[in-house]
Amino acid sequence: MTKLQAAKTPIIHIEALHKSFGPLEVLKGITLSAAEGQVICILGSSGSGKSTLLRCVNLLEQPQSGQITVDGETVGFGNSFDVTNAAEKRRRIQRIRTATGMVFQNFHLWSHKTVLQNVIEAPIHVLGLSRDEAISDAESLLEKVGLLDKRDQYPAMLSGGQQQRAAIARALAMKPRVLLFDEPTSALDPELVGEVLKVIRDLAQEGRTMLVVTHEVGFAREVADRIIFLHQGVIEEDGPPAEVFGNSTSARFRQFISRVS
Ligand SMILES: Nc1ncnc2c1ncn2[C@@H]1O[C@H](COP(=O)(O)OP(=O)(O)O)[C@@H](O)[C@H]1O
Ligand SMILES: [Mg+2]
């Protein structure tokens, strides 16, 4: 493979993804690729399927049909895609979960563990790191997100912005190939939004591949390489920010933007 081809190989590829909850079809055939280092911001009204899409990418939800590839590992669902035996499929699902770090709106930290314990737990138990290695990694990650001085505090002692930064450090500790953010600042008081967006902006500048669901339109415009607008379970817009914000022909997108900005 030439260097150019390697650069173009997508690190995430989602093909014809369908997800329903009972009779409700939430994702109606999503096809999407992300190149290594790309930052994709996903916009869309409440209920459009943004969280479901992220949850399918890291296989917290099982789609009805379609295919998901992350970092060379492919898992298929439904008749036309599901070609592997059950044991192999479980192995691939585990690999994809480990390769995709998720950051949730409500942080999801363990309240009975300190910040440091939150960060080292999975690297020790899932990646098999020694406690010393895990602590050393965790300390540099906490320093990176500006929380080293809070390492021995419990989440309840921290502000929302600090808790979310701890959650980002915890996701990074698993050395994921892709980071998935689901409205990471929506639960924060307005004055705490900036400190979390700064950490995400720094990660973008490091060249991390990220899918970020957000209502922070100004942030998306500035940081994203690409904007995706999800509407009722389909991709309604997909392109570079300047193009999507400047020239969108979608009345639904323009209406969405006029409501959130
Ligand atoms: N576990 C679930 N069971 C049933 N319906 C769900 C479930 N999760 C999400 N939904 C429904 O799927 C639709 C899309 O939800 P979601 O992906 O959370 O949207 P968004 O994140 O864009 O607000 C909504 O109608 C929601 O009620
Ligand atoms: Mg959501």
Side-chain angles (χ1 to χ4, degrees):
M1 196 186 283
T2 68
K3 225 174 173 178
L4 191 65
Q5 280 170 328
K8 283 183 176 167
T9 306
I11 190 159
I12 300 182
H13 181 70
I14 299 163
E15 180 71 35
L17 193 71
H18 288 260
K19 173 65 188 172
S20 301
F21 294 106
L24 179 69
E25 192 181 20
V26 176
L27 300 179
K28 301 171 184 167
I30 300 281
T31 295
L32 168 66
S33 285
E36 175 123 46
Q38 209 170 33
V39 178
I40 300 182
C41 284
I42 301 172
L43 308 179
S45 308
S46 179
S48 57
K50 306 178 299 296
S51 295
T52 304
L53 175 59
L54 288 194
R55 293 169 62 82
C56 284
V57 173
N58 95 333
L59 298 165
L60 283 168
E61 298 286 355
Q62 178 149 327
Q64 270 68 27
S65 67
Q67 202 174 46
I68 294 171
T69 303
V70 178
D71 197 22
E73 205 70 65
T74 295
V75 58
F77 300 89
N79 292 340
S80 51
F81 291 109
D82 196 351
V83 292
T84 44
N85 68 51
E88 172 64 11
K89 190 167 175 175
R90 275 198 301 277
R91 191 192 66 79
R92 293 186 187 186
I93 286 175
Q94 196 47 51
R95 292 273 297 266
I96 290 180
R97 282 197 183 132
T98 309
T100 48
M102 183 95 154
V103 176
F104 301 90
Q105 182 174 349
N106 290 309
F107 329 131
H108 289 202
L109 294 169
W110 289 295
S111 58
H112 61 290
K113 289 183 191 288
T114 65
V115 167
L116 185 79
Q117 287 164 347
N118 265 280
V119 179
I120 64 174
E121 172 81 15
I124 292 174
H125 291 107
V126 182
L127 298 183
L129 262 59
S130 73
R131 198 180 158 75
D132 285 351
E133 281 174 296
I135 290 177
S136 151
D137 282 1
E139 284 174 343
S140 39
L141 290 171
L142 289 173
E143 183 159 30
K144 184 189 183 88
V145 300
L147 278 186
L148 192 51
D149 58 330
K150 304 288 183 195
R151 51 169 275 170
D152 298 319
Q153 303 263 359
Y154 287 88
M157 304 298 292
L158 305 182
S159 73
Q162 290 168 336
Q163 289 185 58
Q164 190 60 299
R165 286 186 281 137
I168 293 171
R170 184 180 58 177
L172 291 170
M174 289 296 285
K175 307 180 185 2
R177 301 284 282 125
V178 173
L179 285 166
L180 310 173
F181 289 89
D182 192 1
E183 298 198 36
T185 61
S186 294
L188 301 178
D189 291 334
E191 72 271 22
L192 303 177
V193 168
E195 65 191 59
V196 172
L197 293 183
K198 179 184 180 303
V199 169
I200 300 174
R201 189 183 289 115
D202 290 348
L203 294 170
Q205 272 160 10
E206 273 177 19
R208 293 202 173 251
T209 313
M210 309 199 283
L211 302 187
V212 186
V213 171
T214 183
H215 288 298
E216 297 288 333
V217 171
F219 174 79
R221 221 175 166 136
E222 170 207 347
V223 171
D225 297 303
R226 197 163 138 208
I227 301 287
I228 281 177
F229 175 60
L230 211 59
H231 181 75
Q232 295 180 355
V234 298
I235 294 177
E236 167 94 5
E237 277 289 351
D238 180 355
E243 206 171 279
V244 171
F245 287 106
N247 302 315
S248 175
T249 53
S250 161
R252 288 160 179 155
F253 179 70
R254 289 201 309 268
Q255 194 183 28
F256 169 80
I257 287 300
S258 70
R259 273 189 283 118
V260 298
S261 48

